[in-house]
Amino acid sequence: MSDLTLIIGNKNYSSWSLRPWLFLAWHDIPFEERRISLFTDSMERDLAPYFSDTKVPILLDGDLEVWDSLAILEYLAERFPAYHGWPEAQPARAVARSVSAEMHSSFPALRGEMPMNCRRRFPGFRLSEEGERDLKRLFAVWRYCRERHGHGGPWLFGTFGVADCMYAPMVMRLVSYEIELDEVARPYVETLYRSPAIQAWVASGRVEEEVIEEDEADWPSQPI
Ligand SMILES: N[C@@H](CCC(=O)N[C@@H](CS)C(=O)NCC(=O)O)C(=O)O
């Protein structure tokens, strides 16, 4: 049994929260979900008891606090080894760590221009030149993983793992902003987006009422 609590932000917007939430939900690991409303008057008060500098996600495991989405996923992979968060083969594991770290530290234009927004669609959306460069790199990363390490299943490293959780918010963005996909990205995006865990997240995001203006892209949109 586990005694886990995951503190997350608004499901519509909080891309960082989605990553560890997905690992827990995917594997049916029991956890308490505590949602705080980002960038509201209550946020500072709600997060004050924690060391994580007023940011989510935060994982509580008994007395232990773990913060930062990648660190939480690392912890969950260790805590639940049966789920093989990282690939078993060392070369694949090294690449999975590389692409997860790259997701954590890179793709600034895609993040900035396409904030995660699960409940809206942005028909005709256009990226800047920097955004297009990031997108090309994203597709190259997925192709590299799928072609070299993706045998045995539809996920980046064959079976579902930490790298898929790290890239899940990108999948959400590609769907919301109706980005044209190549032949590797298309089945990957469809498989992840249609999964019950992601659909449950989207359903919760849809009924949230808060609007965070700075996370609303400057492009005409419509509800899903
Ligand atoms: N690197 C951190 C980033 C966490 C982060 O920036 N979370 C956002 C919500 S998605 C947040 O809490 N923002 C509040 C703030 O910046 O004050 C992680 O991966 O967990």
Side-chain angles (χ1 to χ4, degrees):
M1 266 314 279
S2 65
D3 178 21
L4 300 174
T5 300
L6 187 68
I7 304 171
I8 60 172
N10 312 47
K11 285 189 173 169
N12 187 54
Y13 298 108
S14 188
S15 55
W16 312 90
S17 300
L18 169 59
R19 297 163 165 185
W21 183 94
L22 182 57
F23 189 91
L24 291 164
W26 192 275
H27 294 298
D28 271 328
I29 297 168
F31 70 105
E32 184 198 329
E33 177 184 303
R34 208 175 291 165
R35 200 197 79 113
I36 62 112
S37 190
L38 289 172
F39 307 114
T40 58
D41 294 343
S42 59
M43 175 176 167
E44 204 152 323
R45 190 185 61 233
D46 291 343
L47 292 177
Y50 310 108
F51 186 69
S52 164
D53 202 17
T54 334
K55 285 199 171 34
V56 291
I58 302 166
L59 179 76
L60 306 176
D61 187 0
D63 290 340
L64 175 66
E65 174 179 345
V66 189
W67 66 98
D68 189 283
S69 54
L70 184 53
I72 296 171
L73 282 165
E74 286 277 9
Y75 178 73
L76 291 174
E78 281 184 11
R79 175 86 155 70
F80 299 97
Y83 296 128
H84 300 290
W86 297 112
E88 280 183 86
Q90 197 194 34
R93 197 159 66 244
V95 174
R97 285 205 156 99
S98 295
V99 299
S100 297
E102 180 173 347
M103 181 61 249
H104 214 35
S105 60
S106 304
F107 303 105
L110 286 188
R111 289 181 212 263
E113 293 173 31
M114 307 194 303
M116 193 174 95
N117 195 333
C118 304
R119 64 187 174 210
R120 299 201 75 80
R121 293 287 182 273
F122 298 81
F125 182 79
R126 286 273 164 273
L127 284 163
S128 70
E129 235 175 81
E130 292 81 24
E132 289 291 348
R133 217 171 14 244
D134 274 3
L135 185 68
K136 207 166 149 208
R137 175 63 189 172
L138 177 70
F139 288 170
V141 167
W142 286 355
R143 181 178 292 271
Y144 187 95
C145 298
R146 291 284 309 132
E147 287 182 354
R148 292 176 191 230
H149 302 286
H151 29 81
W155 307 107
L156 293 177
F157 294 85
T159 54
F160 182 83
V162 167
D164 301 295
C165 296
M166 289 299 291
Y167 280 90
M170 276 298 171
V171 166
M172 303 295 239
R173 291 174 160 103
L174 296 178
V175 171
S176 291
Y177 293 84
E178 303 190 348
I179 300 296
E180 195 177 329
L181 305 173
D182 69 13
E183 71 279 9
V184 172
R186 192 172 308 112
Y188 180 65
V189 165
E190 279 174 11
T191 307
L192 188 56
Y193 190 74
R194 288 188 184 153
S195 67
I198 288 289
Q199 285 305 305
W201 176 279
V202 171
S204 305
R206 273 179 89 166
V207 296
E208 289 176 345
E209 287 179 356
E210 304 103 322
V211 175
I212 301 177
E213 285 302 339
E214 66 196 68
D215 281 339
E216 290 291 330
D218 191 15
W219 194 274
S221 67
Q222 55 200 41
I224 59 172

